[in-house]
Amino acid sequence: MGEGSMYSKDLVHLARVAMSGRPQDAQTLVQRLARRYQRTNGELSESLRGLLRATPHLDAPMRDHGNASPVPLDGDTRQALIRTDQLGPVRSPILAAPVRAQLEQLRDEHRMRDRLEAAGLAPSRTGLFVGPPGVGKTLAAHWLASELKVPLLVLDLATVMSSYLGRTGSNIRKVLDYAKSSPSVLLLDELDTVAKRRDDEAEVGELKRLVTVLLQEIDDWPSTSLLLAATNHGDLLDPAVWRRFDVIANFPIPGPAELGEALNQYCGDAGTEVIEFLTRILAGHSFADAERFVLAAKRKAVLTDERLFDVLLAAGQDRLRTMDHADRLQIALDLLQDGELSQRRVSELTGVSRDTLRRRQRHT
C-alpha cells in the first residue's frame, strides 16, 4: 500500500469515528496515528501530538473527581447495565506460572505507560481470559484493577442480552462508552454468550451485527484503560474475536501445587496433614470447588463445636468413599509418595490396608 493510499484510509477511518459521535474513540485514534507516523512522517506525527496536547483529555468526572456520571441503563427494564466494583483489598490470585507472568506484564505495561510511549509503543489494551469456571479469571481482573488503582467495571453479557436482540448492540455501546470515559478495567464476562445463542435462525443476522459491534469497539479501545473478556467456552467464539485481543491467557484447572496453596489460604491453621489429604481428594477440581468444600466444613465445625481439622478430614473421607477402589488406591500411593504421612496414617485416612500399600510399593 502506497503512502498516499495509507493516508486516505486513515483519514476515512478518523472521519467515520468522529462522525459517529464518539469523541473518546476519535482521540484514541489520533494517538494511534501519531505513533504510527512517528518514524515515516515526523512532522505529521508532531502535529497530531500537538493537537492532542491542546485538547482537554476526555475524562468524565465520574470517578476521579467524585461527581458520579450516570450508570448506563437498559432501555426496557431501566436496570443498570454494568456493575462497578470500587477499590478494596484483593488477595493475589493463585495462578500457574505462565498466566501469572502474563498478568504481571499487563500490570507493568499500564503502570509504566510513559516509558513505552517514549519508545513509540503503547501498552496492551485488551486481554482474553479463557478457562473453565472457578479457576480465577474474575479474581485476576479484580487483582489487576486493584494493582492499577482504578475501578473494575463488570459487564455480564448474559444479562445485557435484551429481550429484543436488536437493542443489545446499543446497550453494549452505552457500557463501553461509559468505561472509556475514565481510566478503568472493564471485564466483559461470559463473552461466549454472543456465540452460544444460535438456536433461533431469525436472530443469526442480529448476532452477527452484535459481533461486529464488539469487534469495532475492541479495535478502538483506548490505551488509557484495560478491556478484559472472560469465557468458559473459547471454542464457541468467533475466530475474528480471538485475533482482536492483545493478550490471551489460558487459565487451567489447578495442579497439586496451586491447589495446595489455595487450601492453605482457605483452611488457615488446620494443619499440614489435612492440606496434603485434601489436595489429593480434590484433584481435578477448581479453586471455587475447593473453597466451597472448606466453607461447608467451617460452617459445620462452628455449628457442632468440633475442631475444623476433624471436620475437614471426615468430609474428605466421606468424599473418598464415593470413589472406586482404583482411585482410592492411587490417592493413598500419592500420599505416601509425598512423604508427609506415615503408611499407617495413610491407611487410616483412605481405608486402604497396609498390606495392599506395601505390595503396591514393592512393585513400583
Side-chain angles (χ1 to χ4, degrees), residues 70-82 155-172 174-175:
V71 173
L73 304 176
D74 180 81
D76 297 327
T77 66
R78 307 305 296 168
Q79 292 182 343
L81 295 170
I82 197 167
L155 170 64
D156 188 335
L157 288 170
T159 61
V160 83
M161 296 287 279
S162 173
S163 56
Y164 299 98
L165 188 58
R167 298 184 187 177
T168 302
S170 173
N171 282 342
I172 288 176
K174 288 179 188 177
V175 169

Side-chain angles (χ1 to χ4, degrees), residues 19 232 344:
M19 293 176 68
N232 302 332
R344 178 187 298 276

